[in-house]
Amino acid sequence: MITNHFQILFMVSILLPITALPVAPGNTVNLLGTSLEKDDGKILQRSKRGWMWNQFFLLEEYTGNDNQYVGKLHSNMDRGDGNVKYILTGDGVGSLFLIDENSGDIHATKRLDREERAIYTLHAKVVDKRTNKTLEADTEFNIKIHDINDNEPKFSKDIYFASVPEMSDVGTSVIQVTATDADDQTYGNSAKLVYSILQGQPYFSVDSDNGTIRTALPNMDRETKENYQVVIQAKDMAGQMGGLSGTTTVSITLSDENDSPPRFANHTFRLSTLESAEVGAAIGRIKANDADVGRNAEMQYSIVDRDGQDIFTIITDQNTQEGIIRVKKQLDYERKKTFSFKVEVTNTYLDPRFMYSPNPPFKDDAMVRVTIEDVDEPPVFSRNPYIIEVHEDTAAGSFVGVVSAKDLDADNNPVNTKLTSQWHMWRNVMLRSNPRQTTRVPVFIRVLDVNDNAPEFAMYYETFVCENVKSGQLIQTISAVDTDEPLVGHKFVFSMSFSNPNFTIIDNEDNTARIITRRGGFSQREMNAYLLPVVISDNDYPIQSSTSTLTVNVCACDSGGNVQSCNTEALLSAGLSTGALVAILLCVIILLMIVVLFAALRRQQRKKEPLIISKEDVRDNVVSYNDEGGGEEDTQAFDIGTLRNPEVMDANKLRRDIIPEMLFPFGRTSPIKDNADVRDFIHGRLHENDSDPTAPPYDSLATYAYEGSGSLAESLSSLESGATEGDQEYDYLSNWGPAFKKLADMYIGKDTERET
């Protein structure tokens, strides 16, 4: 890590040299008193910039406690009187870089990492504090972060895999491994890498500059050692002490080359065969060994002698690399009993580099002796076995095929055929030329299928649909089977015999189909099961089809689609035991008995004697009120308030049409005062009777015998009047208004006559 011992102070006070600069004609540039004269006699002047710089340098990974000092800005416009202000803008200003506006000192507030960012671009200018006038124009400069060696080299892989041919020359390139270092490539040796080999010597070496791994030993033989583990190190600081390093492992495999010739372990092979061996029949095998693998170990055998080439042939078994000797020409014991010939083996693919090496040649040979054994040859069928095809609907007695045979012996005995046994669609035919020679050959009778069966459901489907199902929901996937066996496989087509408003079928074109709902809102009460006819057809000739019925039961399900209950038939099909059904029936019977008993008790309670037995029961009767109002002068608006008697306003009246079993202390509200309308009075009484707890539990007639209250003349009844009319004073009747004018005239007039 770098400490503050490496801080660098840059005093920026670089003046531009006073030299002539190209100037456009007619323009004037101040040069602090320096003047130049043009051809036309005009004076050109040029001013000198007071301060200018290129870039500052700052070391990364600063670990000091204080802010890291970057450098100092200074302008010759600064006279030291404190009137100059330095302004810094650009990348990281305020958060990463700070400037003292009075002195121009720049500091870094955080530790910087060059690998995150190497250059920061900033702008500086000088202004007058008093007038805020720019003294020096905005000028750009860079702060470049100097690198330190804080990153170790890293390889792109932890382990590499490579291969190189065996027997390669020294210096053959195997693989190049490259490491990278995040440090600065252009500054110092922090990112200068040197490669070295830590493990894998003396077989391999590595180029110290570019990491190329090469072979270091000649004649490395795969058959001796095939795999090598090589460890490569990359170290920075040009490999010097103190540099950082990283390692990787390279797994190197020697690939096989055809450098090993085939060899016979035994150079003499003895074989024997019957003279009756058929042409092409294998009579024995011979084997050579090759230390190579894969393609380089492939071999080919050949018969060298002419004597053997005419009678026998040899081929290579590609799996075992053995030489298989076969009969090329019919053998005859009576003509020749033994054969001897030489067999040679060579590699199929030869490498010219090793064909002329000091090693033995890339081929080997061995002698093969074949002994022919004498046999009494039985009759021979023309084919073995026989395969005869016949359609399953062939009529009895039809011709299906023929078998033939001959006797190869010289006497050519007659050949008799006999059918000896019969198994699964095939038969054994026995030929007999003499009592000791019998030949059997299987005759396979293959019964060809005819498309005479229609496809049907592959199984019995217990299909259900939930009552709360939605439209377009899958409820069943069906498949079909067919007992026929077409040559190209089954291909079923699913459809419906007619359009169904509840369900539809979608053919998946893989011998299955989906049953999809076309609506929602099924109900067990409306329909507990639906019968869905499905037509299934095959693609053979002639086309066969069948209609299978799919029963869809309607069930009640929860929100997750799990069945909770179905109709009785669905429950039976679900496998309810007899005991469970009996228990359910018993529960139903008990519930019915409880319901009947409860109904009987309710009926007995209803026979209780009603409160009102009178024939003139006033319940549900229509009552006509033929009140015509207050007279001819009051047909439009009659104020009944004057007829109200204050003495009965607070009277607590009980219902007179019932006999209450229990008297409740019920306080009836007083009629509305202050000349309320009759309608309001009736509505109030109606509300009181509706909320009366002593009222009977049925409709009843309530009579409101109320004639008014609150009259200013109090009661007009003569029951409470004086003993004689002479005691009464009727002058106040004249103050009651027009409605009582006639009555006042009558009584006041009588008083006048009486006095007279």
Side-chain angles (χ1 to χ4, degrees):
M1 302 300 291
I2 305 301
T3 62
N4 54 2
H5 293 291
F6 295 95
Q7 294 179 358
I8 300 175
L9 174 64
F10 289 91
M11 295 297 295
V12 180
S13 179
I14 303 175
L15 300 180
L16 286 175
I18 305 177
T19 57
L21 297 177
V23 181
N27 292 334
T28 301
V29 179
N30 293 326
L31 289 174
L32 297 179
T34 304
S35 62
L36 296 176
E37 183 177 352
K38 287 187 62 178
D39 295 338
D40 56 1
K42 294 182 178 180
I43 303 298
L44 300 179
Q45 293 183 343
R46 180 177 60 188
S47 61
K48 179 183 64 176
R49 291 187 62 89
W51 52 289
M52 180 179 177
W53 64 92
N54 186 11
Q55 62 183 4
F56 291 166
F57 296 90
L58 188 66
L59 290 175
E60 67 170 335
E61 302 297 342
Y62 173 72
T63 58
N65 295 326
D66 299 330
N67 293 339
Q68 188 177 5
Y69 186 74
V70 177
K72 184 180 184 65
L73 303 182
H74 183 73
S75 172
N76 59 357
M77 295 293 182
D78 189 354
R79 306 303 181 184
D81 53 3
N83 294 328
V84 173
K85 179 181 179 181
Y86 294 91
I87 299 176
L88 186 66
T89 59
D91 299 337
V93 173
S95 60
L96 187 59
F97 298 105
L98 299 177
I99 186 172
D100 189 328
E101 63 180 18
N102 297 317
S103 64
D105 292 331
I106 303 175
H107 290 81
T109 62
K110 299 179 181 178
R111 185 174 62 180
L112 302 178
D113 188 356
R114 191 205 64 84
E115 285 69 40
E116 293 182 1
R117 186 165 183 176
I119 296 177
Y120 295 85
T121 301
L122 290 87
H123 296 79
K125 66 179 180 178
V126 179
V127 299
D128 191 313
K129 286 184 179 180
R130 296 170 299 175
T131 63
N132 204 27
K133 179 181 178 182
T134 300
L135 301 178
E136 296 288 349
D138 188 309
T139 304
E140 180 180 283
F141 69 97
N142 298 326
I143 297 179
K144 184 175 181 181
I145 309 303
H146 268 188
D147 181 55
I148 64 172
N149 189 20
D150 59 343
N151 292 278
E152 70 276 3
K154 293 183 179 180
F155 288 92
S156 59
K157 298 180 181 178
D158 293 333
I159 182 170
Y160 292 83
F161 295 91
S163 63
V164 62
E166 63 175 333
M167 311 299 293
S168 296
D169 296 334
V170 175
T172 300
S173 176
V174 180
I175 189 176
Q176 182 180 10
V177 293
T178 304
T180 58
D181 196 318
D183 292 323
D184 192 354
Q185 303 286 337
T186 62
Y187 178 75
N189 294 326
S190 297
K192 183 174 180 55
L193 305 182
V194 173
Y195 299 90
S196 61
I197 184 168
L198 301 182
Q199 178 182 324
Q201 296 173 329
Y203 306 101
F204 300 95
S205 63
V206 64
D207 191 313
S208 61
D209 294 329
N210 56 30
T212 301
I213 301 175
R214 305 179 185 275
T215 57
L217 285 182
N219 301 325
M220 286 193 294
D221 191 1
R222 184 200 65 83
E223 288 74 27
T224 302
K225 185 176 181 180
E226 183 177 5
N227 297 313
Y228 297 85
Q229 296 292 326
V230 178
V231 178
I232 302 298
Q233 180 191 67
K235 190 175 183 180
D236 59 14
M237 297 299 292
Q240 300 176 5
M241 183 177 296
L244 305 177
S245 63
T247 61
T248 187
T249 302
V250 183
S251 178
I252 302 177
T253 302
L254 295 183
S255 60
D256 184 62
E257 296 292 321
N258 193 7
D259 60 340
S260 298
R263 291 288 182 264
F264 283 110
N266 187 1
H267 287 77
T268 301
F269 295 89
R270 297 182 182 275
L271 304 175
S272 63
T273 183
L274 297 175
E275 63 171 336
S276 59
E278 298 181 359
V279 175
I283 64 173
R285 292 172 176 250
I286 62 176
K287 180 69 168 68
N289 300 317
D290 193 329
D292 295 321
V293 293
R295 173 179 173 178
N296 297 325
E298 295 181 2
M299 295 173 284
Q300 58 184 8
Y301 299 85
S302 60
I303 298 175
V304 180
D305 295 340
R306 183 72 180 177
D307 186 22
Q309 290 179 351
D310 295 337
I311 306 300
F312 302 98
T313 183
I314 187 170
I315 63 173
T316 303
D317 188 333
Q318 298 299 326
N319 295 324
T320 63
Q321 296 300 312
E322 293 177 312
I324 304 175
I325 300 176
R326 297 180 181 271
V327 177
K328 184 179 181 181
K329 191 176 182 178
Q330 185 64 54
L331 301 176
D332 191 350
Y333 174 79
E334 288 73 22
R335 294 180 60 183
K336 190 171 183 178
K337 298 178 179 60
T338 60
F339 294 88
S340 296
F341 52 88
K342 182 185 290 186
V343 176
E344 187 177 85
V345 61
T346 60
N347 284 125
T348 303
Y349 305 97
L350 298 177
D351 192 335
R353 295 181 300 167
F354 305 105
M355 291 180 61
Y356 306 102
S357 62
N359 297 327
F362 274 72
K363 62 181 180 179
D364 199 6
D365 55 56
M367 291 299 299
V368 179
R369 299 182 184 276
V370 180
T371 301
I372 310 301
E373 297 179 358
D374 185 28
V375 294
D376 185 8
E377 297 174 295
V380 178
F381 286 94
S382 59
R383 287 187 295 169
N384 185 10
Y386 284 89
I387 300 177
I388 301 174
E389 295 180 346
V390 59
H391 287 88
E392 63 176 331
D393 56 356
T394 302
S398 300
F399 174 79
V400 296
V402 65
V403 295
S404 62
K406 63 180 180 178
D407 190 351
L408 300 179
D409 289 335
D411 53 3
N412 196 14
N413 295 323
V415 177
N416 299 322
T417 61
K418 180 182 180 181
L419 183 64
T420 60
S421 59
Q422 178 177 352
W423 295 279
H424 291 285
M425 297 185 180
W426 69 272
R427 301 181 177 182
N428 255 0
V429 178
M430 179 177 66
L431 298 183
R432 180 179 298 168
S433 58
N434 60 59
R436 295 181 301 171
Q437 294 296 334
T438 301
T439 302
R440 289 180 174 86
V441 65
V443 179
F444 294 91
I445 300 177
R446 180 182 297 164
V447 180
L448 300 179
D449 181 58
V450 175
N451 191 31
D452 56 352
N453 294 282
E456 57 186 8
F457 280 155
M459 58 179 293
Y460 173 75
Y461 294 100
E462 296 181 357
T463 306
F464 70 92
V465 61
C466 295
E467 291 182 319
N468 56 355
V469 72
K470 296 181 180 179
S471 176
Q473 185 167 336
L474 172 67
I475 63 172
Q476 184 68 61
T477 299
I478 60 175
S479 59
V481 294
D482 194 338
T483 55
D484 295 324
E485 296 180 0
L487 295 178
V488 295
H490 290 294
K491 176 60 179 177
F492 301 128
V493 178
F494 298 86
S495 62
M496 297 181 65
S497 58
F498 57 86
S499 178
N500 192 303
N502 303 310
F503 307 97
T504 186
I505 186 169
I506 299 178
D507 195 335
N508 296 328
E509 298 184 357
D510 60 355
N511 293 340
T512 63
R514 293 171 290 165
I515 306 299
I516 306 296
T517 58
R518 298 186 67 177
R519 68 178 181 89
F522 290 88
S523 175
Q524 296 186 37
R525 296 181 179 179
E526 297 178 0
M527 181 73 70
N528 57 13
Y530 294 86
L531 299 180
L532 187 64
V534 179
V535 180
I536 311 175
S537 305
D538 58 22
N539 66 334
D540 209 346
Y541 180 82
I543 295 178
Q544 299 287 342
S545 63
S546 66
T547 301
S548 301
T549 301
L550 182 68
T551 301
V552 181
N553 295 301
V554 180
C555 301
C557 307
D558 57 16
S559 60
N562 300 314
V563 177
Q564 293 180 334
S565 64
C566 293
N567 54 69
T568 305
E569 295 178 358
L571 290 174
L572 290 175
S573 63
L576 289 177
S577 63
T578 304
L581 291 177
V582 172
I584 293 174
L585 291 177
L586 288 177
C587 292
V588 172
I589 293 172
I590 293 173
L591 289 175
L592 290 176
M593 293 176 63
I594 293 174
V595 171
V596 172
L597 181 60
F598 180 76
L601 292 176
R602 287 295 299 266
R603 182 175 298 177
Q604 184 177 0
Q605 290 179 356
R606 290 180 179 178
K607 291 181 180 181
K608 182 177 180 181
E609 184 176 353
L611 296 178
I612 301 177
I613 314 179
S614 173
K615 294 181 180 180
E616 299 179 356
D617 193 350
V618 296
R619 289 176 294 173
D620 297 331
N621 292 331
V622 179
V623 179
S624 177
Y625 299 94
N626 296 320
D627 190 357
E628 296 182 356
E632 58 182 3
E633 295 183 2
D634 190 25
T635 57
Q636 298 298 326
F638 177 72
D639 188 3
I640 200 173
T642 53
L643 298 179
R644 290 177 178 169
N645 188 357
E647 296 179 359
V648 297
M649 291 180 63
D650 297 329
N652 186 10
K653 300 180 181 294
L654 299 178
R655 298 286 293 268
R656 294 175 296 176
D657 58 342
I658 61 171
I659 302 175
E661 296 179 358
M662 178 178 180
L663 184 60
F664 291 89
F666 178 74
R668 188 181 304 273
T669 58
S670 300
I672 302 175
K673 300 181 180 181
D674 298 331
N675 300 329
D677 199 307
V678 175
R679 179 183 60 187
D680 297 335
F681 166 75
I682 294 175
H683 286 172
R685 289 299 190 186
L686 179 61
H687 175 71
E688 292 173 1
N689 283 277
D690 288 340
S691 59
D692 189 356
T694 62
Y698 50 80
D699 293 338
S700 61
L701 177 64
T703 302
Y704 305 120
Y706 177 58
E707 298 179 353
S709 62
S711 175
L712 299 178
E714 297 183 351
S715 177
L716 298 179
S717 176
S718 60
L719 297 178
E720 298 179 359
S721 62
T724 63
E725 292 183 355
D727 297 333
Q728 297 292 332
E729 297 291 339
Y730 302 104
D731 294 337
Y732 56 85
L733 293 177
S734 59
N735 299 325
W736 285 4
F740 297 91
K741 184 177 182 300
K742 292 183 180 182
L743 185 62
D745 293 342
M746 292 172 58
Y747 281 88
I748 294 175
K750 288 181 180 182
D751 291 343
T752 304
E753 293 177 357
R754 185 179 302 113
E755 292 176 358
T756 303

